[in-house]
Amino acid sequence: LQGISLTQEKPLGTRERNSIAQIIAALAGMAKIDLEKPFIAYDAMRLSAELGGLKLPSKDTVGKWLKAADENCKG
């Protein structure tokens, strides 16, 4: 499997960022990932991704999006 690459023509807007955070939160819930500990969750995600032949972005990038998902869930 190869990673997904999306080309962007413009920066993400607030609505789009919120939608992405909601999607991540839903997927994290399905996978039972603790969004309150985003950088700890990264290690488990990285291992799972590697076993599936995928490569995750950096720990900082993933942690940022997991944190955003957690904040989005709390309103």
Side-chain angles (χ1 to χ4, degrees), residues 23-38 40-42 44-45 66:
I23 292 167
I24 291 170
L27 292 171
M30 291 169 61
K32 298 184 181 3
I33 293 172
D34 185 357
L35 292 176
E36 291 185 4
K37 300 175 184 170
I40 293 172
Y42 173 83
M45 290 175 64
L66 292 176

Side-chain angles (χ1 to χ4, degrees), residues 6-54:
L6 301 174
T7 57
Q8 284 183 245
E9 295 178 8
K10 60 182 177 157
L12 295 176
T14 302
R15 178 179 270 169
E16 194 169 20
R17 283 184 176 279
N18 289 340
S19 293
I20 291 168
Q22 290 170 335
I23 292 167
I24 291 170
L27 292 171
M30 291 169 61
K32 298 184 181 3
I33 293 172
D34 185 357
L35 292 176
E36 291 185 4
K37 300 175 184 170
F39 293 98
I40 293 172
Y42 173 83
D43 293 323
M45 290 175 64
R46 182 186 51 78
L47 179 60
S48 179
E50 286 177 3
L51 291 173
L54 300 171

